[in-house]
Amino acid sequence: MLTVKSWRIVECVKRCAVTHLRRRFSISFNMAKSKFEYVRNFETDDTCLRNCYIVVRLDGRNFHKFAEQHNFTKPNDNRALGLMSRSARSVLEEMEDIVIAYGQSDEFSFVFKRSSTWFKRRASKLMTHVTSQFSSSYVFYWKEFFGEKPLLYPPSFDGRVVLYPSNRNIKDYLSWRQADCHINNLYNTVFWTLVQRGGLTTAQAEDRLKGTLAADKNEILFSEFDINYNKESDLYKKGTTLIWEKRDETVTKRLMLPNKEEKDVSVTRSRRRVETYHCDIIGEQFWEEHQDILEDDDC
C-alpha cells in the first residue's frame, strides 16, 4: 500500500508527464497549423465595391421539370408563387440589410442597401447565405402551401451577384425584371389557353405564337376566348415586391395602479415588418411613395 508521501510523489509525476505531453502537442499543432496555413493564399478577394447596391438573384435550376413532376397548375400556380414569396420573406427577415426584393415565376432578386457591411461585403458569403436560406425555407414551408402533396425531391437554386452604383441603375434593373415578368406571363397565358381551351398541342400553340406581338396575343385571348388580359391578377402580371415598412400596432397591457387596482391600457408602438406588393415598380409612383428604400446618390 502506498503511503501518503508516495502517493503525492506519484501524482506529481503524473501531472508533470501530462503537462509535458500537452506542451509538446501544442507546439506540434501550432507548427502544423503554421506549415499548412499557406493554402489560404489561394483564396481570391471577392469583396464587393463600396457605395454600390448589391443584388443577389436566385433562379430555379431545371424548374420546368420540377414544376411538371409536382403537377403545378399552368400557366400560374398560386401555391408555388406563394411558396416563393414566403421563402423570400424569410430571407429578408434573416438579413435586414436587404431593402427590397422582387420575384416572379421561379426567380427572386434581393437588393442589399448600398452601405451594407454584411459579411464584409464578400460576394460569395452573401450569395451562399441568401441561396441556402431561400432553399431551406422552400422545403420548410412546402406543406404550408401544398398540404399533404409530397415534395418528391429537394429544389435547387443557383445565384449570382451583380453591383449597381446608382439609384437609376437599380431602378432600371428592377424594371427590367418586371418587364420580363409581363412578357413571359402574357406569352404563357396565351400559350396554355390555346392548349387547354383551344385544343392545340404544345407544338401547334408554339407555331401559332411565332412572330406575334403583344397586341396579337391580347387579340387572340379576347376574340377567341373572351379573356381580357388587363383583368388578369397583378400577381401574375407584375410579380411580387417585398419591402420593409413601419406599421403602428396597438396592444393592450394590464397595469397596476397606485391603489393596487388593475387597469387595461392600450399602447401603440411602431414595428418594422416585411410587406408584400403586386404593383407597378417601373413608373415613379412606387418610388415616390417609398422614398426610404433607396439611399441618396450623393453619398
Side-chain angles (χ1 to χ4, degrees):
M1 181 178 292
L2 290 174
T3 63
V4 173
K5 184 176 180 180
S6 300
W7 179 81
R8 286 177 177 172
I9 292 172
V10 170
E11 287 299 310
C12 182
V13 171
K14 283 182 179 179
R15 283 198 298 271
C16 289
V18 170
T19 301
H20 178 68
L21 286 172
R22 281 178 180 169
R23 200 170 288 162
R24 287 193 61 183
F25 177 78
S26 177
I27 293 170
S28 176
F29 176 78
N30 288 332
M31 287 177 65
K33 184 180 177 184
S34 175
K35 178 180 178 182
F36 300 122
E37 212 168 13
Y38 79 93
V39 297
R40 296 183 63 183
N41 297 328
F42 286 86
E43 294 183 17
T44 56
D45 181 14
D46 61 348
T47 304
C48 294
L49 190 66
R50 286 179 173 274
N51 296 330
C52 289
Y53 292 104
I54 303 171
V55 175
V56 179
R57 187 165 105 222
L58 304 185
D59 289 282
R61 182 178 178 274
N62 205 8
F63 240 64
H64 178 73
K65 177 183 176 184
F66 183 87
E68 283 188 348
Q69 294 194 347
H70 289 88
N71 297 316
F72 284 7
T73 303
K74 303 290 180 59
N76 294 292
D77 191 306
N78 287 331
R79 300 166 302 172
L81 293 173
L83 179 55
M84 288 287 293
S85 180
R86 182 63 188 88
S87 302
R89 177 187 293 270
S90 75
V91 176
L92 267 74
E93 291 169 346
E94 176 71 17
M95 307 180 75
E96 294 186 0
D97 267 11
I98 296 173
V99 292
I100 185 170
Y102 176 78
Q104 50 126 339
S105 186
D106 64 342
E107 74 165 59
F108 242 101
S109 296
F110 300 90
V111 181
F112 285 81
K113 64 183 181 182
R114 192 154 45 188
S115 57
S116 177
T117 57
W118 271 70
F119 297 114
K120 298 181 180 179
R121 295 180 69 87
R122 290 189 60 184
S124 57
K125 290 279 189 178
L126 292 167
M127 183 180 68
T128 53
H129 191 86
V130 170
T131 306
S132 62
Q133 180 71 27
F134 189 93
S135 301
S136 59
S137 296
Y138 195 96
V139 174
F140 184 80
Y141 292 111
W142 174 268
K143 280 192 174 183
E144 185 176 315
F145 293 88
F146 285 89
E148 296 305 312
K149 185 178 182 63
L151 179 63
L152 302 178
Y153 59 90
S156 177
F157 296 89
D158 62 65
R160 73 197 71 183
V161 173
V162 187
L163 305 182
Y164 295 97
S166 72
N167 287 349
R168 184 72 269 159
N169 292 152
I170 199 64
K171 286 181 181 179
D172 286 347
Y173 169 78
L174 293 168
S175 297
W176 171 50
R177 300 321 304 146
Q178 187 167 70
D180 185 72
C181 172
H182 164 68
I183 292 169
N184 289 338
N185 186 66
L186 177 57
Y187 180 90
N188 289 332
T189 300
V190 182
F191 180 88
W192 287 107
T193 301
L194 288 170
V195 172
Q196 295 168 353
R197 294 178 55 180
L200 301 185
T201 65
T202 54
Q204 289 171 334
E206 190 174 345
D207 285 338
R208 174 80 188 276
L209 294 176
K210 278 183 180 177
T212 57
L213 302 177
D216 301 321
K217 296 180 179 70
N218 275 288
E219 181 60 27
I220 291 172
L221 287 173
F222 188 74
S223 62
E224 298 183 27
F225 302 99
D226 197 26
I227 295 175
N228 184 346
Y229 181 74
N230 291 327
K231 293 183 178 180
E232 291 292 295
S233 170
D234 284 340
L235 167 63
Y236 309 149
K237 295 185 299 180
K238 301 187 187 318
T240 300
T241 301
L242 303 177
I243 61 172
W244 288 99
E245 283 190 337
K246 284 185 178 179
R247 294 288 177 92
D248 288 337
E249 183 180 87
T250 302
V251 296
T252 302
K253 285 190 174 183
R254 181 169 288 273
L255 300 180
M256 181 72 73
L257 301 178
N259 59 4
K260 295 186 178 179
E261 292 184 6
E262 292 185 348
K263 182 180 179 181
D264 289 336
V265 178
S266 295
V267 179
T268 301
R269 56 189 178 189
S270 183
R271 280 198 169 183
R272 192 168 176 258
R273 53 186 293 179
V274 178
E275 297 293 339
T276 303
Y277 289 89
H278 309 296
C279 64
D280 177 71
I281 58 174
I282 296 176
E284 288 301 317
Q285 183 178 344
F286 174 83
W287 302 102
E288 289 171 0
E289 293 175 353
H290 303 92
Q291 296 184 21
D292 57 332
I293 294 177
L294 303 180
E295 300 170 62
D296 292 336
D297 266 334
D298 58 357
C299 64

